[in-house]
Amino acid sequence: MATTIIEPFRIKSVEPLRFTTKAQRAGILAQAFYNPFLIHADDVLIDLLTDSGTSAMSSRQWAAMMEGDESYAGSRSFYRFEAAVKKITGMQHIIPTHQGRASEKILFTITGGKGKSFLSNTLFDTTRANIEFSGAEGIDLLTETGKLPSVRAPFKGNIDLDLLEKTIIEKGPTQIAMCIITVTNNSGGGQPVSTENIRKASSICKKYGVAFFIDACRFAENCYFIKQREEGYAAKTMIEIVNELFSYADGCTMSAKKDAFANIGGFLALNDDVLTRECRNLLVITEGFPTYGGLAGRDLEAIAVGLEEIMDEHYLKYRIRSMEYIGEKLEAAGVPFVKPVGGHAVYLDAKAFLPHIPLHQYPGLALSNALYIEGGIRSVEIGSLMFGKYAVDGTLVPAQMELVRLAVPRRVYTQSHIDYVAEIIIDVFKKRQELKGYEIVYEAPLLRHFTAKLKPVG
């Protein structure tokens, strides 16, 4: 019997790739101030910067877009979208937004503010930025195993339950805006969160009257890990696992640019009538009318179909196996990475990969740039450039981990592309002692990694 897991789709349209030389890429990177975000996409061969909005939509999604109802108010596309989100989340109120960070901005503007705290397993960059922009603070309470890249555990994305309750008591329940669990844990290596952990975290929050939310960008990938790894879930269907996961939450935010295969879009799902009314009022000011929320009707249609397609177990089996395939090649070559591999990406452990580069010289960025120069691969640093802070004396307070994320867009690249990526990583690993660090010459006050300008040290 065949054991190869094939792509559960056929390719119907192709897009050419542009090849460059190593010398050309070195010049391109210098012109981009050594920040991969500033490289023109045409100059990238394999783009693993993000899996957000970069997926290939299906023929069914494209067909649905032709039926988009562009009525300003009450379009039938909205009601199809609303039904699809309710089927998954079971929540009463669905508010469309143009992407996940718009949902965060609306929600955190209303619930945040000076003196408030948001607790999480790990907040990603835009989530933390929107929290801090409101005047509140974001506190990560990742389980201890999640902080150890080389240690294998089934649910390294979990929140530390003891620390969660301790923090609520220390801060005072009235000062906790909410607890928000990210599934899968993007900043923590794409690691899943168990149903047991979500259920217990929800119970602790209810005990103290703290709102409990889910950042649901990759809910389907997380639930597939639950089906594979958590006792009692192997025989359950995906929709049963998904429904249970959301049943513990008071609400959720989602970027539909991830686990809905859409190029744009997101939503807020809520059960609280008063909070919903406040969010809709702010939505009208910032995004648009409540039944389109910054999206065209065609986008609402694409999301509705994508939320159905993401639940296909054949696809999810292929998706997770693709990540494992890269991990197996890297492990055989001794390359350090977060183990086990995540659901949407492989995360290289830059601290272990480049131990000779001090943290204040951003080893993650050095590794990311080396991958681009060597093979035209664009990735993203998730370390002290993205999450580092400054102490009172101006010295860097480094991030918990120094990672480089290679996020694989859904239904875009083939196995040969992935083989090439693994080969380039291994080649860079063999020459790792030649790499040097970077220093910042310009940075913005929030989300500095998007627009920062850097130069090589020395």
Side-chain angles (χ1 to χ4, degrees):
M1 186 177 74
T3 57
T4 300
I5 297 175
I6 64 171
E7 289 86 350
F9 51 81
R10 294 182 298 193
I11 297 170
K12 201 166 189 175
S13 179
V14 297
E15 180 182 357
L17 295 174
R18 175 173 173 261
F19 289 82
T20 54
T21 66
K22 189 172 180 179
Q24 286 173 325
R25 292 191 294 271
I28 289 165
L29 186 61
Q31 289 178 347
F33 298 97
Y34 301 96
N35 184 343
F37 279 101
L38 304 182
I39 297 172
H40 292 192
D42 285 346
D43 294 324
V44 176
L45 183 62
I46 306 291
D47 203 341
L48 307 181
L49 183 75
T50 181
D51 63 321
S52 178
T54 57
S55 299
M57 291 202 299
S58 68
S59 56
R60 283 187 61 218
Q61 284 180 293
W62 284 109
M65 289 180 75
M66 295 302 294
E67 295 186 345
D69 178 1
E70 305 304 341
S71 300
Y72 186 89
S75 77
R76 63 178 177 272
S77 296
F78 167 74
Y79 293 108
R80 288 174 186 162
F81 163 85
E82 182 186 51
V85 178
K86 282 186 173 181
K87 181 180 178 181
I88 287 169
T89 66
M91 293 179 187
Q92 298 177 45
H93 308 294
I94 311 301
I95 301 174
T97 60
H98 80 273
Q99 62 178 8
R101 74 187 65 175
S103 299
E104 295 167 352
K105 180 67 166 67
I106 291 169
L107 182 63
F108 301 157
T109 296
I110 293 167
T111 59
K114 190 174 182 180
K116 294 285 188 177
S117 297
F118 289 75
L119 311 182
S120 181
N121 50 346
T122 315
L123 298 163
F124 199 57
D125 57 353
T126 60
T127 315
R128 181 176 295 279
N130 274 309
I131 287 169
E132 292 177 353
F133 189 75
S134 80
E137 68 168 338
I139 302 174
D140 294 336
L141 305 173
L142 182 63
T143 183
E144 284 303 310
T145 55
K147 302 172 187 177
L148 306 171
S150 63
V151 173
R152 291 183 181 273
F155 294 102
K156 291 173 68 174
N158 284 353
I159 193 168
D160 186 316
L161 296 169
D162 292 335
L163 203 51
L164 171 62
E165 186 162 21
K166 181 182 177 183
T167 306
I168 291 173
I169 293 170
E170 287 180 352
K171 294 284 184 181
T174 59
Q175 298 306 111
I176 306 297
M178 69 177 61
C179 173
I180 183 164
I181 302 292
T182 308
V183 294
T184 53
N185 190 331
N186 194 2
S187 299
Q191 299 297 307
V193 183
S194 69
T195 306
E196 179 186 25
N197 188 252
I198 289 171
R199 181 173 62 250
K200 288 181 176 178
S202 175
S203 179
I204 290 169
C205 288
K206 282 182 172 60
K207 177 180 175 182
Y208 294 99
V210 172
F212 183 74
F213 274 65
I214 291 173
D215 177 344
C217 292
R218 300 172 181 87
F219 74 93
E221 291 174 6
N222 195 95
C223 289
Y224 189 75
F225 278 123
I226 288 170
K227 183 178 176 69
Q228 297 298 307
R229 298 178 182 178
E230 192 164 359
E231 187 176 352
Y233 287 89
K236 290 184 180 290
T237 63
M238 283 301 298
I239 191 63
E240 287 173 335
I241 300 171
V242 167
N243 287 163
E244 181 181 349
L245 179 120
F246 284 111
S247 73
Y248 300 117
D250 299 305
C252 75
T253 62
M254 180 165 176
S255 167
K257 296 165 69 176
K258 282 84 170 176
D259 267 4
F261 295 113
N263 300 135
I264 197 68
F267 59 81
L268 263 170
L270 305 158
N271 284 326
D272 185 278
D273 295 344
V274 175
L275 180 58
T276 299
R277 184 168 62 247
E278 293 177 342
C279 287
R280 282 198 176 124
N281 288 340
L282 189 52
L283 176 92
V284 171
I285 298 171
T286 59
E287 293 281 293
F289 193 75
T291 58
Y292 76 86
L295 292 172
R298 56 184 174 269
D299 299 318
L300 295 169
E301 295 279 2
I303 293 168
V305 174
L307 287 172
E308 178 185 339
E309 292 183 341
I310 196 67
M311 308 286 277
D312 177 12
E313 289 189 34
H314 293 291
Y315 162 75
L316 288 166
K317 182 178 182 181
Y318 149 78
R319 173 72 167 166
I320 303 305
R321 178 63 192 130
S322 297
M323 301 304 113
E324 293 171 346
Y325 179 77
I326 306 173
E328 288 167 0
K329 286 181 169 290
L330 300 185
E331 184 149 34
V335 176
F337 62 96
V338 176
K339 302 173 185 177
V341 291
H344 68 290
V346 171
Y347 293 69
L348 303 178
D349 181 359
K351 193 184 293 186
F353 200 115
L354 301 173
H356 63 286
I357 297 180
L359 301 186
H360 69 273
Q361 293 179 7
Y362 308 108
L365 182 72
L367 176 51
S368 180
N369 285 348
L371 295 176
Y372 176 73
I373 291 174
E374 190 68 28
I377 299 166
R378 180 157 63 170
S379 56
V380 66
E381 185 261 16
I382 298 184
S384 292
L385 180 61
M386 182 180 287
F387 288 118
K389 302 288 185 182
Y390 291 116
V392 176
D393 64 359
T395 57
L396 178 73
V397 179
Q400 203 162 70
M401 293 185 282
E402 302 292 335
L403 306 177
V404 170
R405 185 187 72 180
L406 298 113
V408 181
R410 296 160 186 79
R411 304 188 296 206
V412 171
Y413 293 116
T414 66
Q415 183 174 326
S416 60
H417 291 118
I418 298 304
D419 285 334
Y420 173 82
V421 169
E423 290 168 7
I424 293 298
I425 294 170
I426 292 166
D427 285 347
V428 170
F429 184 63
K430 291 175 181 176
K431 298 183 254 187
R432 60 192 181 277
Q433 291 298 330
E434 300 172 15
L435 303 187
K436 296 181 179 180
Y438 290 83
E439 60 182 281
I440 297 173
V441 296
Y442 163 78
E443 61 182 291
L446 290 172
L447 297 172
R448 67 179 183 180
H449 54 290
F450 285 148
T451 56
K453 297 178 179 180
L454 303 103
K455 66 178 182 179
V457 171

